Amino acid sequence: IGGGGSALRVCAEHRGGINWLSLSPDGQRLLTGSEDGTARLWSTADGQFCALLRGHESYVTFCQLENEAAFTCSADRTIRKWDVLTGQCLQVFRGHTSIVNRILVTNDQLFSSSYDRTARAWSVDKGQVSREFRGHRNCVLTLAYSAPWDLPGAPFEEEAVAGGLLVTGSTDGTAKVWQVASGCCHQTLRGHTGAVLCLVLDTPSHTAFTGSTDTTIRAWDILSGEQLRVFREHQGSVICLELANQHVYSGSADRTVKCWLADTGECVRTFPAHRHSVSALKYHAGTLFTGSGDARARAFDAESGALQRVFRGHAFIINCIQVHGQVLYTASHDGALRLWDVRGLPRAPPPRPAAPQRSLSRLFSNKVGCAAAPLQPA
């Protein structure tokens, strides 16, 4: 079932595992962040190496690529901004006192989460902290941001959401919603009985979806703090989430991916073909791409759940997936970036309203506990 895929190109210049992969908004470049303490820029046109970003004093945990600048964060407790043309470091953001797990750049703000139990907002231009978000009792793993124009609310809420809302997930078992303008905690989302490993935000409905080591996904209204529904069919930690077309896709340590109706929590599909924890998800043009601790990536028809293709060649866990045009990019803890031809996969059907379909059934990084034992290539 599902024909095999051959790599178009293997980029093995990193000397350590790749923890994250980011695609620029214009689709022209890729950025990889590695255990070797460097980040590298690549061209999507031909897969050629463009620039080496060197300066961090420990491994790079996460990265984000914009059209004009690249951003990386590291276990050295700093965040760096880089020129994408020259590879020169333009700014160092200092202030966190432990590993920086995630960053999120939006407009002129940069948000970060850390093992030091805080999240922070920074001025991109000045490189200085503008807000500290303190209240979590353990490390902050993941975050998402909703801009003020995405938050229509009652008049009494206008001041509270004037600067937008930041949502953070922590190993303390809670997610928190913060008022960016004031730095105050707007809501604490309590209900999980394990660490919150991942979250996605549906801004039109101001709903956050959180995945946890307690095996559940939970939906929350970020304005009121109300728990809306609980998704309960996984048998292992929920490691990654993807939101597309009013469906939530979840990857789990139970080796499955599940598809849920976002507005009801009904599980409508299970993708069971993996041999290890599911570590990465990416929905693109009607296809769900998945990466796993079994060192393989897979392509599934998102509508039917049918396995379309298996991509073999990596030797360790696949940490991140991106798709651009007809090329799939996979980044692995084996230190390689691989490019795969995905031509021939079905195109997306016209969008239609979500409805029950009875016939269809990192942020959690390796450093947190999702590392896989070395595997032999299949």
Side-chain angles (χ1 to χ4, degrees), residues 202-264:
D202 180 34
T203 52
S205 66
H206 42 82
T207 302
F209 299 89
T210 54
S212 170
T213 58
D214 68 9
T215 77
T216 71
I217 302 156
R218 293 169 191 256
W220 315 82
D221 185 310
I222 62 172
L223 294 180
S224 69
E226 177 188 2
Q227 180 176 285
L228 302 175
R229 62 197 70 93
V230 184
F231 306 57
R232 291 189 184 275
E233 293 194 22
H234 276 301
Q235 302 300 309
S237 298
V238 180
I239 295 170
C240 47
L241 293 171
E242 178 88 336
L243 180 64
N245 299 332
Q246 298 304 306
H247 290 78
V248 176
Y249 297 90
S250 55
S252 171
D254 66 11
R255 306 182 183 184
T256 71
V257 174
K258 291 184 182 289
C259 175
W260 317 76
L261 297 180
D263 59 353
T264 68

Side-chain angles (χ1 to χ4, degrees), residues 52-83:
L52 173 65
L53 313 184
R54 188 194 302 273
H56 282 297
E57 297 175 2
S58 189
Y59 59 87
V60 177
T61 54
F62 193 83
C63 56
Q64 182 173 332
L65 182 56
E66 297 296 302
N67 291 335
E68 304 299 329
F71 298 84
T72 57
C73 60
S74 169
D76 69 6
R77 303 175 294 180
T78 71
I79 302 158
R80 288 176 179 255
K81 177 182 177 182
W82 311 83
D83 186 299

Side-chain angles (χ1 to χ4, degrees), residues 22-66:
S22 179
L23 179 68
S24 63
D26 62 13
Q28 294 183 9
R29 296 181 181 89
L30 284 165
L31 176 66
T32 52
S34 170
E35 293 280 318
D36 65 14
T38 72
R40 290 176 182 261
L41 282 162
W42 314 83
S43 168
T44 57
D46 53 14
Q48 292 293 325
F49 170 68
C50 298
L52 173 65
L53 313 184
R54 188 194 302 273
H56 282 297
E57 297 175 2
S58 189
Y59 59 87
V60 177
T61 54
F62 193 83
C63 56
Q64 182 173 332
L65 182 56
E66 297 296 302

Side-chain angles (χ1 to χ4, degrees), residues 38 41 73 138 151 167 228 274 288 292:
T38 72
L41 282 162
C73 60
N138 214 324
L151 294 165
V167 187
L228 302 175
H274 287 282
L288 184 67
S292 171

Side-chain angles (χ1 to χ4, degrees), residues 259-302:
C259 175
W260 317 76
L261 297 180
D263 59 353
T264 68
E266 179 185 357
C267 182
V268 295
R269 201 167 305 116
T270 298
F271 306 79
H274 287 282
R275 300 179 182 181
H276 206 284
S277 299
V278 180
S279 48
L281 294 173
K282 188 68 178 182
Y283 177 93
H284 178 77
T287 300
L288 184 67
F289 295 94
T290 65
S292 171
D294 64 13
R296 298 172 183 174
R298 291 170 171 82
F300 295 92
D301 183 286

Side-chain angles (χ1 to χ4, degrees), residues 32-362:
T32 52
S34 170
E35 293 280 318
D36 65 14
T38 72
R40 290 176 182 261
L41 282 162
W42 314 83
S43 168
T44 57
D46 53 14
Q48 292 293 325
F49 170 68
C50 298
L52 173 65
L53 313 184
R54 188 194 302 273
H56 282 297
E57 297 175 2
S58 189
Y59 59 87
V60 177
T61 54
F62 193 83
C63 56
Q64 182 173 332
L65 182 56
E66 297 296 302
N67 291 335
E68 304 299 329
F71 298 84
T72 57
C73 60
S74 169
D76 69 6
R77 303 175 294 180
T78 71
I79 302 158
R80 288 176 179 255
K81 177 182 177 182
W82 311 83
D83 186 299
V84 297
L85 297 179
T86 66
Q88 177 185 0
C89 181
L90 302 175
Q91 187 74 256
V92 182
F93 301 75
R94 303 181 189 276
H96 279 297
T97 59
S98 189
I99 297 169
V100 184
N101 292 312
R102 292 289 184 268
I103 50 175
L104 173 61
V105 182
T106 175
N107 300 323
D108 61 346
Q109 291 188 102
L110 184 152
F111 299 99
S112 59
S113 62
S114 172
Y115 271 55
D116 67 11
R117 306 183 182 186
T118 72
R120 301 183 186 217
W122 312 74
S123 165
V124 170
D125 293 334
K126 298 178 180 178
Q128 297 177 344
V129 175
S130 55
R131 288 284 183 272
E132 292 186 12
F133 306 98
R134 295 184 176 272
H136 280 296
R137 293 179 289 105
N138 214 324
C139 58
V140 185
L141 294 180
T142 185
L143 43 74
Y145 173 71
S146 185
W149 48 85
D150 292 324
L151 294 165
F156 71 87
E157 293 173 330
E158 289 180 0
E159 183 177 351
V161 303
L165 295 176
L166 180 70
V167 187
T168 56
S170 169
T171 56
D172 66 11
T174 71
K176 286 181 179 285
V177 185
W178 308 87
Q179 299 171 10
V180 173
S182 67
C184 296
C185 182
H186 181 70
Q187 301 288 350
T188 298
L189 311 180
R190 293 187 174 90
H192 283 297
T193 57
V196 177
L197 306 183
C198 50
L199 70 87
V200 290
L201 200 56
D202 180 34
T203 52
S205 66
H206 42 82
T207 302
F209 299 89
T210 54
S212 170
T213 58
D214 68 9
T215 77
T216 71
I217 302 156
R218 293 169 191 256
W220 315 82
D221 185 310
I222 62 172
L223 294 180
S224 69
E226 177 188 2
Q227 180 176 285
L228 302 175
R229 62 197 70 93
V230 184
F231 306 57
R232 291 189 184 275
E233 293 194 22
H234 276 301
Q235 302 300 309
S237 298
V238 180
I239 295 170
C240 47
L241 293 171
E242 178 88 336
L243 180 64
N245 299 332
Q246 298 304 306
H247 290 78
V248 176
Y249 297 90
S250 55
S252 171
D254 66 11
R255 306 182 183 184
T256 71
V257 174
K258 291 184 182 289
C259 175
W260 317 76
L261 297 180
D263 59 353
T264 68
E266 179 185 357
C267 182
V268 295
R269 201 167 305 116
T270 298
F271 306 79
H274 287 282
R275 300 179 182 181
H276 206 284
S277 299
V278 180
S279 48
L281 294 173
K282 188 68 178 182
Y283 177 93
H284 178 77
T287 300
L288 184 67
F289 295 94
T290 65
S292 171
D294 64 13
R296 298 172 183 174
R298 291 170 171 82
F300 295 92
D301 183 286
E303 180 73 12
S304 69
L307 177 64
Q308 297 174 325
R309 199 169 295 174
V310 181
F311 305 90
R312 300 177 177 90
H314 283 296
F316 291 86
I317 183 173
I318 294 173
N319 289 325
C320 193
I321 290 173
Q322 290 289 351
V323 186
H324 176 63
Q326 297 297 305
V327 180
L328 168 69
Y329 302 87
T330 57
S332 167
H333 207 65
D334 63 12
L337 168 67
R338 289 178 178 257
L339 286 61
W340 313 84
D341 186 351
V342 295
R343 287 177 297 180
L345 295 177
R347 306 299 296 171
R352 63 183 183 183
Q357 302 172 43
R358 302 291 181 181
S359 61
L360 309 173
S361 354
R362 165 194 119 37

